Amino acid sequence: VLLFEAPGLFVTKKEIKPSDFNSPIQITLYTNTKNLEEVQVLSTRSFEQTTSATTINRTDLIEKNNFGQDIPTLLEASPSVVTTSDAGTGIGYSGIRIRGVDASRINVTINGIPVNDPESHDVYWVNMPDLASSIESMQVQRGVGSSTNGAAAFGASLNIKSQDISSVAFGVLDNTYGSFNTLKTTIKAGTGLINNKFSLETRLSRITSDGFIDRATSDLRSYYLAASYVGKKSVLKALTFSGKEITYQSWYGLPEYLLEEDRTYNAYTYENEVDDYQQDHYQLHWNQKINNYWSARIGLNYTYGRGYFEQYKENQSFSDYDLNDLIIGDTTINETDLIRRRWLDNRFYVVTTSISHTKKDLAMSIGSSFSLYDGDHFGEIIWAQYASDSKINDKYYEGNGEKLELNIFTKATYKLNEKLSIYGDLQFRIIDYKTSGLTSDRVNMLINEKYNFFNPKAGFTYEFNDGNSLYISYARANREPSRSDFESNVNIKSEQLNDFELGWRHNSSKLSLSTNFYYMLYNEQLVLSGKIDDVGSPIRENIGKSYRFGLEVDANIRLLNNLSFHPNVTISTNKNKNTFSEINGNLLNLKETDISFSPNLIASNNFIFHPSQSFQISLLSKYVGSQFMSNTNSVVSKLDSYFVNDLSVIYQLKPKTIFKSVVFSVLINNIFGINYVSNGYYYTYDDTWSSPGEITTVEGAGYYPQATTNFLMGVTFKF
């Protein structure tokens, strides 16, 4: 048997028989579709000689940790990451903060297509359940990072690449069962390359869970479908994925006095207090290899989201719902109990293009994207104790938001000599955002804002030898406020960031080490105030001058051939330079205070032991230091530090049956049963009635407890 291979082409095997010795042998080498597929993410990912702090999670690592929990939970072990979960289990509404920056300012793309909601800037992972089962890799760039499509990254960017085209047919049946009646079923299949040109891959998933918090149930369904055509120098790939979620609301957490009495408390009791939403994504990608040095890509996207959350509300004033008072005889009724639904119905269109060049000492990319967002917001009353003059399907508020964005960037890495490489990146973002109609509080919302942002980046990498390199970079970023920012303050300002990074990387057979210093200098940073709105969403505010300064260390240490550990630690200081707060009726300058939700110490470690090639035991430990939920350093707003350990066991069989392999896995979360809280909110109000003539500022807090010891176990059949 002879093996034939060439760069960018599949390895081809050819069995040679004695009868073939005296005749010509024809060998056909086919294009490696994986190399071509990389074109679609090259323009939004950092180059190999990156000048940013980067972590990559690939297929095997994702598969081993995928028990149906959301993407933030899968990134738990990454440097500078803190994750949250309303239900306490990582299933349902989950969040992530990186370097203390909230999820609305972490740029997320899938195959180079922006995923952040253009109005809220958030990514609702609950709308994409079991996305991890269709992912090839995830790259996290901390800091501003490389230019990408969509809104600017203020804490990090997360670039997700969907599953590569498989050259062989496959089938997968994946089942998980665990605590809180958690059940996940995933079916995947693919045809492989038919005639080395066509392929079809699909996935169906369902995840259900009761949640750790009372009634915080999740019923999540999703699908993924991809069809591909492979030419000699091109790949055309059409894919669609969709998620349908029904989650019972647990947005308000619980008050402090219940932390010791009833950690699973949920304030909601109405049986249909649910969030019901569906989001469909359609993408079309054309990747073209022009020659050995040039390649191009065009991507099209259409996202359609629609759904509502339902609420039972008591003693609601008619005037708040544009209803007239009800007069019966001598009695005037102006309040009612009611059930309302608040709707979102939105469409998001994106066109992205890029052309990339790679030749010896130069790697460069020029890219652009144009997007249009059209979102309707409206509310309806579906039941009322007293209906007044309302009619079925009446809308008590209607509003619309439209957002146009043009993004153009060019970036390049050039190797000046054997040791020194320089990097440059220029990005222009043009944004036009308009709103009309009423908010859910029936307040006129008329916004007409235009932004023109220029975001330059530059850096260099110096390679001392094969195993050691040093990099330094500077990046500028600007970012516009979100819809909810405008709702809380019509005079809200855009924010600016100057990001300085200095890092050293070491690679050897026993040790991989990445050390990174960062200094992030902000103007009008939009930080979490600690407050939440009436649906549990955090409220942000401008804080003038602020900064984040820290050290990140990420290592992979191989102790023995079958034993390794992967520690990382982030030590930081995160400060507002001048904080003003109204206390007891007086406006005070508290001067320098800690930025909310920004712990000074985050550390994790993963011990991995392989008794054999088919058997793995790992222990993941995570420490998050104490953090304030406000920007005033109030002790009432302080979240305690926590240290949590998870244990996983994976065993693989390769039976001589129809199965290629059978994988058994067990994950025990929080093995020591620690009671901890990863998220919360803080509020104040002025008490003027307890002591007439005096003003007393009253402080309080709410908390989102996480699950104590719980387990997930799975079995995966691969065909």
Side-chain angles (χ1 to χ4, degrees):
V1 177
L2 297 179
L3 296 179
F4 299 87
E5 61 179 309
L9 302 175
F10 277 122
V11 175
T12 300
K13 295 180 181 180
K14 179 70 174 181
E15 183 178 355
I16 308 299
K17 301 177 182 178
S19 59
D20 297 325
F21 290 169
N22 297 321
S23 59
I25 301 172
Q26 182 174 342
I27 303 297
T28 302
L29 299 181
Y30 294 97
T31 301
N32 187 331
T33 55
K34 182 173 181 178
N35 289 345
L36 275 173
E37 279 198 278
E38 289 297 328
V39 175
Q40 73 184 34
V41 293
L42 180 62
S43 62
T44 54
R45 288 192 169 189
S46 58
F47 293 116
E48 184 177 358
Q49 298 296 331
T50 181
T51 54
S52 62
T54 304
T55 302
I56 298 178
N57 293 282
R58 300 196 185 278
T59 306
D60 58 342
L61 184 61
I62 296 170
E63 284 184 352
K64 289 177 180 177
N65 294 283
N66 182 19
F67 289 85
Q69 295 164 301
D70 294 329
I71 296 294
T73 302
L74 295 182
L75 296 172
E76 181 73 50
S78 299
S80 303
V81 167
V82 176
T83 64
T84 66
S85 172
D86 284 6
T89 59
I91 297 174
Y93 271 91
S94 299
I96 185 172
R97 292 191 285 269
I98 300 179
R99 291 185 178 177
V101 175
D102 70 280
S104 69
R105 287 140 75 238
I106 298 172
N107 176 278
V108 180
T109 60
I110 297 178
N111 302 324
I113 301 295
V115 178
N116 298 71
D117 182 272
E119 279 202 292
S120 72
H121 296 177
D122 275 314
V123 175
Y124 299 99
W125 299 105
V126 69
N127 298 332
M128 298 177 285
D130 203 25
L131 178 65
S133 291
S134 298
I135 287 178
E136 185 69 26
S137 64
M138 297 188 289
Q139 184 194 68
V140 180
Q141 296 179 60
R142 299 185 298 281
V144 172
S146 174
S147 283
T148 187
N149 298 317
F154 258 62
S157 58
L158 171 57
N159 305 306
I160 297 174
K161 185 178 182 300
S162 64
Q163 198 165 30
D164 281 338
I165 298 171
S166 175
S167 59
V168 297
F170 69 90
V172 177
L173 175 60
D174 185 14
N175 295 282
T176 297
Y177 176 76
S179 300
F180 317 116
N181 289 319
T182 299
L183 181 63
K184 168 182 174 283
T185 302
T186 299
I187 302 172
K188 293 171 58 178
T191 62
L193 276 176
I194 301 172
N195 296 326
N196 289 300
K197 289 188 177 296
F198 303 97
S199 77
L200 186 67
E201 297 176 3
T202 188
R203 170 182 59 81
L204 293 172
S205 301
R206 185 179 184 189
I207 303 170
T208 57
S209 178
D210 291 345
F212 170 68
I213 302 300
D214 292 342
R215 297 177 298 285
T217 57
S218 298
D219 186 350
L220 317 175
R221 306 182 188 204
S222 66
Y223 72 79
Y224 173 90
L225 179 64
S228 306
Y229 169 78
V230 181
K232 289 183 178 180
K233 291 187 176 183
S234 63
V235 170
L236 182 65
K237 188 172 185 178
L239 61 95
T240 176
F241 56 97
S242 175
K244 167 71 173 177
E245 60 93 1
I246 301 177
T247 54
Y248 193 92
Q249 296 171 23
S250 53
W251 295 338
Y252 277 149
L254 69 156
E256 182 176 12
Y257 73 90
L258 286 175
L259 280 175
E260 301 301 326
E261 298 178 17
D262 184 5
R263 296 178 67 85
T264 65
Y265 170 82
N266 189 343
Y268 298 112
T269 56
Y270 166 57
E271 62 180 1
N272 204 43
E273 195 99 4
V274 299
D275 186 60
D276 188 323
Y277 195 82
Q278 180 169 339
Q279 191 173 76
D280 305 328
H281 299 255
Y282 303 91
Q283 296 185 2
L284 179 66
H285 298 279
W286 173 59
N287 303 325
Q288 178 70 44
K289 181 179 180 182
I290 300 171
N291 55 38
N292 290 335
Y293 309 115
W294 290 91
S295 56
R297 168 190 170 268
I298 296 176
L300 304 176
N301 174 82
Y302 169 59
T303 302
Y304 177 39
R306 67 279 188 197
Y308 61 86
F309 57 90
E310 187 168 311
Q311 295 178 303
Y312 174 77
K313 306 294 287 185
E314 296 180 325
N315 302 322
Q316 299 293 288
S317 173
F318 281 173
S319 61
D320 290 341
Y321 295 86
D322 195 28
L323 300 176
N324 295 317
D325 290 352
L326 185 62
I327 300 175
I328 303 175
D330 296 332
T331 303
T332 299
I333 300 174
N334 55 20
E335 288 185 346
T336 182
D337 296 346
L338 56 81
I339 298 172
R340 69 187 186 190
R341 286 180 176 174
R342 291 162 67 172
W343 281 82
L344 287 175
D345 190 321
N346 49 64
R347 292 163 175 81
F348 184 41
Y349 308 86
V350 185
V351 179
T352 64
T353 63
S354 67
I355 184 167
S356 300
H357 172 77
T358 304
K359 184 178 180 181
K360 196 177 178 180
D361 298 329
L362 176 66
M364 64 174 292
S365 180
I366 300 172
S368 68
S369 70
F370 175 78
S371 64
L372 167 64
Y373 173 87
D374 185 1
D376 291 325
H377 307 253
F378 59 90
E380 59 184 12
I381 301 171
I382 65 170
W383 173 87
Q385 182 183 14
Y386 303 108
S388 180
D389 56 345
S390 64
K391 296 184 176 68
I392 294 175
N393 296 327
D394 272 359
K395 296 180 175 63
Y396 68 90
Y397 75 90
E398 288 184 271
N400 176 264
E402 288 188 0
K403 190 172 187 179
L404 292 171
E405 178 177 337
L406 175 64
N407 175 22
I408 302 171
F409 61 83
T410 179
K411 54 188 174 183
T413 297
Y414 182 69
K415 196 166 186 178
L416 293 171
N417 53 48
E418 292 298 318
K419 294 184 178 294
L420 182 62
S421 299
I422 60 173
Y423 170 78
D425 186 333
L426 301 175
Q427 182 194 47
F428 297 88
R429 290 184 66 224
I430 302 171
I431 301 149
D432 186 355
Y433 180 49
K434 298 178 181 178
T435 66
S436 59
L438 303 177
T439 68
S440 58
D441 293 327
R442 292 189 45 77
V443 175
N444 274 316
M445 189 172 185
L446 301 176
I447 299 169
N448 187 356
E449 294 287 346
K450 294 178 174 61
Y451 301 93
N452 296 289
F453 294 141
F454 172 54
N455 302 318
K457 307 172 185 69
F460 71 82
T461 300
Y462 186 82
E463 297 181 56
F464 295 96
N465 49 46
D466 290 342
N468 293 277
S469 63
L470 176 76
Y471 65 84
I472 185 170
S473 70
Y474 162 77
R476 168 81 170 181
N478 296 268
R479 190 176 174 99
E480 72 279 11
S482 68
R483 180 186 177 94
S484 59
D485 294 330
F486 281 110
E487 286 184 355
S488 61
N489 179 7
V490 294
N491 297 314
I492 204 83
K493 301 174 184 177
S494 62
E495 51 184 340
Q496 301 84 44
L497 165 63
N498 292 290
D499 181 20
F500 302 87
E501 308 270 339
L502 171 64
W504 170 59
R505 295 190 181 95
H506 169 80
N507 285 289
S508 64
S509 59
K510 298 286 187 181
L511 172 65
S512 294
L513 177 66
S514 176
T515 303
N516 184 75
F517 287 95
Y518 63 88
Y519 178 56
M520 305 172 74
L521 182 61
Y522 293 89
N523 181 44
E524 299 299 351
Q525 182 182 183
L526 283 164
V527 301
L528 300 176
S529 65
K531 304 173 185 177
I532 59 174
D533 63 18
D534 62 348
V535 294
S537 296
I539 295 173
R540 303 185 304 169
E541 60 188 4
N542 292 121
I543 55 169
K545 302 291 185 181
S546 59
Y547 67 89
R548 301 180 188 273
F549 176 69
L551 167 65
E552 298 167 321
V553 180
D554 185 17
N556 185 349
I557 303 170
R558 185 179 176 186
L559 299 176
L560 302 169
N561 289 336
N562 60 357
L563 178 62
S564 63
F565 71 101
H566 309 267
N568 66 68
V569 61
T570 300
I571 303 170
S572 65
T573 179
N574 311 273
K575 297 291 185 179
N576 306 301
K577 291 191 174 182
N578 281 287
T579 301
F580 293 88
S581 181
E582 187 172 322
I583 301 176
N584 296 335
N586 300 310
L587 185 64
L588 301 179
N589 184 356
L590 304 179
K591 297 186 178 180
E592 192 169 86
T593 61
D594 288 345
I595 299 176
S596 61
F597 298 98
S598 301
N600 294 334
L601 178 61
I602 303 171
S604 70
N605 180 51
N606 194 6
F607 277 102
I608 300 177
F609 176 51
H610 287 275
S612 67
Q613 288 186 343
S614 60
F615 189 25
Q616 174 184 301
I617 303 172
S618 62
L619 175 65
L620 173 64
S621 303
K622 181 80 174 187
Y623 176 84
V624 176
S626 60
Q627 54 190 303
F628 289 102
M629 296 184 291
S630 74
N631 295 286
T632 61
N633 284 11
S634 167
V635 294
V636 175
S637 73
K638 195 169 189 178
L639 285 179
D640 291 335
S641 62
Y642 58 87
F643 181 54
V644 181
N645 294 269
D646 303 333
L647 178 69
S648 74
V649 179
I650 301 173
Y651 184 71
Q652 179 177 256
L653 291 175
K654 293 188 176 181
K656 296 180 180 179
T657 62
I658 60 173
F659 304 119
K660 290 181 180 178
S661 68
V662 180
V663 181
F664 300 93
S665 53
V666 177
L667 173 64
I668 306 175
N669 295 299
N670 196 357
I671 57 176
F672 298 117
I674 301 299
N675 288 329
Y676 73 102
V677 175
S678 63
N679 195 24
Y681 57 90
Y682 167 77
Y683 58 87
T684 64
Y685 61 88
D686 289 337
D687 178 359
T688 59
W689 53 88
S690 297
S691 301
E694 296 182 8
I695 299 176
T696 302
T697 299
V698 179
E699 300 175 285
Y703 302 91
Y704 298 90
Q706 302 302 288
T708 52
T709 304
N710 63 97
F711 76 92
L712 294 165
M713 56 183 182
V715 57
T716 303
F717 301 93
K718 295 185 178 182
F719 303 87

